[in-house]
Each structure stands twice: as C-alpha cells, then as structure tokens.
Amino acid sequence: MNKREAGDYYETLACDYLRENGLKIIQKNFRCRQGEIDIIARDGKYLVFTEVKFRKGNRFGTAEAAVDYKKQNVISRVSDFYRKRFGISDDTCQRFDVVALDLDDDEALHIRWHKNAFLYVPKRNTFY
C-alpha cells in the first residue's frame, strides 16, 4: 500500500468512527489552493473540520503532536475558503477536531477523537 492509499484507508476508518459517534460526513479531502481538510462533517449545530493523523509506533511522536500551529493555520485558512465557497455564514458554529490513529507494537489499532482540539487561528494582518 502506498502512502496515498494508506491515507485513504485511515481516513475511511476515521469517517466510519465519526459516523458511529453521530456525525454526518459532508465531504472528504476538501482541497483548495490553501491546503486540504481531511473530513468535513456536521455534529448538531457544529460544522466540524477534522484532521486525521496516523502513526505506527511513537518513534516520531504522537499522531496528535503532528497537528502543530502551522497545520492548524492551514486548516483555518481552508475552512475560511470552504465557508465562503458554499455561502456558509461566519456566525455558523464551527469546531476543529483531530482523529488520531495509532498502531501499537502488537499491531492493535487505537483511535482517539479530540473534539475541539484547537481553536480557529485568525488571519494575521501584515502591514508593510
């Protein structure tokens, strides 16, 4: 399995997990020039933008740790574009979640869902 196939596989597992926990999946792999959001879903009144991260072992840190400030900024920018493109009001409740999937040494898969894992990163105004 190549890297893209593995990513699709774990994103599908994350979607199944979120569905089982009551979310309605709207879109997978939404891409624009600013970047990508793995899963966009509805959870009651919330529009949920979800990053999926997979790790085999913890040699390079936890899956959650890979969603650093830079990645949060990208997801925030893509969420702005998504809402603008589909005419979704700025007043719509939104949330940024992370689904972390890890394979341990015994090849057992562990899924952790972090609701509201990070806050929206506002655009920085740059003055020259």
Side-chain angles (χ1 to χ4, degrees), residues 7 9-11 14 18 20 23 25 29 44 46 54 84 86 88 93-94 97 102 105 108 124:
Y9 174 75
Y10 290 109
E11 286 170 5
L18 293 173
E20 289 169 9
L23 273 69
I25 306 303
N29 300 316
Y46 288 95
F54 168 77
K84 184 173 183 176
F86 292 102
I88 298 168
C93 296
Q94 63 182 357
D97 292 1
D102 291 299
D105 294 336
R124 289 191 290 198

Side-chain angles (χ1 to χ4, degrees), residues 39-54:
I39 301 169
I40 300 171
R42 276 277 181 196
D43 186 11
K45 67 179 182 176
Y46 288 95
L47 182 60
V48 182
F49 299 98
T50 305
E51 178 69 10
V52 177
K53 285 296 179 187
F54 168 77

